Amino acid sequence: MITIKDITPEQYSTYVGVLTVEDKDSLIGQWYMPDSYFNPIQDADDKWVISVEEIDQCVNPDFMWVKNIPLIPFVPKPAPPFP
Amino acid sequence: MIRIGPSIRPKYFPAATVDPDAQAFITAAGITDATQQSAINTLVTDLKGYGVWSKMKAIYPFVGGTATTHKYNLKDPADTNAAFRLVFNGGWVHSSTGALPNGVNSYALTFFAPTPNADKNSVHISYYSRTDASGGIEMGSEDLSNVSYCLLGIKSGANNSFVAIGDYVGNLTTNTDGKGFYTAQRISSSTVNRWKNGIKTSTYSQSSVNNNTQIVIGTWIRSTGTFGSFTTKQCAFASMGLHLSDSEASDFNTAVQAFQTTLGRNV
C-alpha cells in the first residue's frame, strides 16, 4: 500500500487518497487547514478520493488519519463538455 | 541677559497616506509586510485613478501567502458570503506568489453570480496566471436552467483559449502561453471580447443570457453543483465586475502588472 510517505511532492498531482463512503461523509464540510475545506470527489471508477495536497496540509486534529489512507493513481471522470 | 540657544524645531513629516479601502483590506487580511501593504495601497489608488475601481465588484489580490489572507475581497473585505469572500475547497497550495490549484479537486466559491451581481449585458472576469500549462477552465459557471455560460479558459486546449459569456456559443482563440493577465468581458447584449496583458486578442458575437449560478475560481461549476475540468494555473489576481472600456481594460492591466511587479511575482 502506498501512502503519502512514499511519494515526492512532484508526484502529488498524479495520486489521490482513497476514502470509504463513511470517510467521505465524515470529511464533507470539514476544514483541513484554516479557511480550507476537504473536497471529496469521485474518480473515473466512482471511488471517493481526496487530493494529496489535502492530506499533506491537514492540521485538523480530528482528521489526522487521512495521513495514512492509501494512495492510488488519479484517473479523473470526464469533465462535462463545453461548446 | 538671557541667552537663548539655537532653537530646536520639531520636524514634521507627513504620514504616508493610506487609502481607506486599502487599509480596510490590510486590516481584515492581517497583512503585515510593508511591501505588500504598499502594493495593495498603490493598486487601490491606481484603480481609482483610472476610474476602474467603481466597476469592480470583487477583487482578489492573493497577497499574504495563506488561505486566510487570500480569501478576502479587496472591494469589501468582510468575512461573509455577501461580501464575495472566497471559500477554498480541495487541494490548494497558498504561497507568497499566489494560490496554486491542483487540477484534481480544488476550487474557490465566490458567491458572485453574473446576472444578479453584475449585469446580463455588462460583466467581466479576470485571472492572472503564473503557470504555462494546458487544460482546465480557470473560472466560471454554467446556469443550466437559463442555458448560459460565464467561462474563462486561458489555455483550455493544447494551444487555445476558450471564452463564453452568454448562450451556448463559445469562442476559441490561439494562445500558446498560459501565463499572463487575462480578462474576458461581455460589453453589450451581442458582443464579448477578451484581453491578454492589456492587448485585446479577440471580439466575437454571442447573445447575452441571464446566469444566476455563482462563479468559482479553479474550474467552472454547473447550477447542479457538478464541476468542469480543474486548472493547474497558479492565480495571483482575479476579479469580477462590470465590463471595462478599451482604455479602461488597458489601464486595468497596467495597474495589475505594476502590482505584480512590486510583489516580485510578475510573469
Side-chain angles (χ1 to χ4, degrees):
Chain A
M1 181 180 88
I2 299 174
T3 69
I4 192 170
K5 300 186 191 83
D6 302 311
I7 65 171
T8 64
E10 290 72 30
Q11 296 175 294
Y12 279 11
S13 62
T14 60
Y15 285 90
V16 286
V18 184
L19 303 169
T20 66
V21 173
E22 293 74 22
D23 291 341
K24 178 264 296 182
D25 290 341
S26 72
L27 294 182
I28 290 174
Q30 304 296 327
W31 58 272
Y32 64 90
M33 67 177 183
D35 290 304
S36 299
Y37 296 86
F38 286 109
N39 179 30
I41 60 169
Q42 288 183 291
D43 72 0
D45 295 326
D46 287 332
K47 293 189 177 90
W48 285 101
V49 299
I50 56 173
S51 68
V52 179
E53 288 84 3
E54 290 159 273
I55 297 169
D56 179 45
Q57 298 179 100
C58 180
V59 293
N60 186 331
D62 292 334
F63 300 103
M64 295 305 280
W65 52 263
V66 299
K67 306 277 187 187
N68 299 314
I69 63 176
L71 304 185
I72 59 172
F74 178 51
V75 182
K77 275 184 181 295
F82 53 84
Chain B
M1 187 172 95
I2 299 173
R3 189 181 182 99
I4 301 174
S7 64
I8 300 173
R9 293 181 182 173
K11 294 181 178 177
Y12 293 100
F13 296 98
T17 303
V18 179
D19 179 278
D21 287 308
Q23 186 60 60
F25 176 87
I26 289 166
T27 301
I31 303 297
T32 57
D33 180 87
T35 300
Q36 294 174 353
Q37 291 177 342
S38 176
I40 288 291
N41 188 54
T42 301
L43 176 66
V44 172
T45 55
D46 283 353
L47 294 177
K48 288 182 176 179
Y50 289 135
V52 171
W53 178 260
S54 62
K55 296 194 172 183
M56 298 287 149
K57 303 291 185 182
I59 300 171
Y60 305 108
F62 291 99
V63 291
T66 70
T68 301
T69 62
H70 288 172
K71 72 179 181 180
Y72 287 100
N73 171 11
L74 180 57
K75 282 285 293 190
D76 183 357
D79 192 3
T80 66
N81 298 348
F84 307 134
R85 173 264 290 113
L86 299 177
V87 174
F88 293 101
N89 291 271
W92 290 87
V93 176
H94 300 271
S95 70
S96 61
T97 53
L100 179 64
N102 62 7
V104 173
N105 69 342
S106 47
Y107 69 95
L109 297 170
T110 67
F111 305 95
F112 177 98
T115 303
N117 300 127
D119 187 293
K120 182 172 78 170
N121 298 321
S122 175
V123 62
H124 91 270
I125 54 178
S126 80
Y127 192 103
Y128 190 99
S129 164
R130 298 191 69 255
T131 308
D132 179 22
S134 297
I137 294 290
E138 279 59 53
M139 57 194 299
S141 68
E142 178 182 2
D143 184 335
L144 290 163
S145 60
N146 285 312
V147 195
S148 65
Y149 279 130
C150 184
L151 302 178
L152 171 58
I154 289 170
K155 195 177 175 187
S156 50
N159 279 312
N160 56 54
S161 164
F162 178 80
V163 165
I165 304 178
D167 63 12
Y168 277 8
V169 175
N171 181 265
L172 282 172
T173 295
T174 298
N175 185 28
T176 58
D177 185 351
K179 298 191 299 293
F181 182 46
Y182 297 82
T183 301
Q185 54 176 8
R186 169 164 291 287
I187 62 171
S188 72
S189 62
S190 60
T191 306
V192 173
N193 65 32
R194 62 153 72 79
W195 295 71
K196 176 179 181 180
N197 294 333
I199 305 295
K200 185 160 56 177
T201 54
S202 73
T203 300
Y204 69 93
S205 296
Q206 183 180 13
S207 298
S208 64
V209 184
N210 288 330
N211 183 336
N212 297 313
T213 304
Q214 72 166 303
I215 290 170
V216 300
I217 296 174
T219 180
W220 100 87
I221 188 170
R222 285 179 148 173
S223 46
T224 52
T226 58
F227 295 97
S229 50
F230 294 90
T231 185
T232 58
K233 298 178 189 69
Q234 187 185 37
C235 185
F237 182 95
S239 70
M240 301 173 294
L242 302 175
H243 86 271
L244 309 175
S245 69
D246 284 1
S247 61
E248 288 170 340
S250 177
D251 291 340
F252 182 38
N253 173 71
T254 299
V256 172
Q257 299 289 359
F259 174 68
Q260 306 296 356
T261 300
T262 298
L263 295 174
R265 62 186 196 183
N266 53 304
V267 293

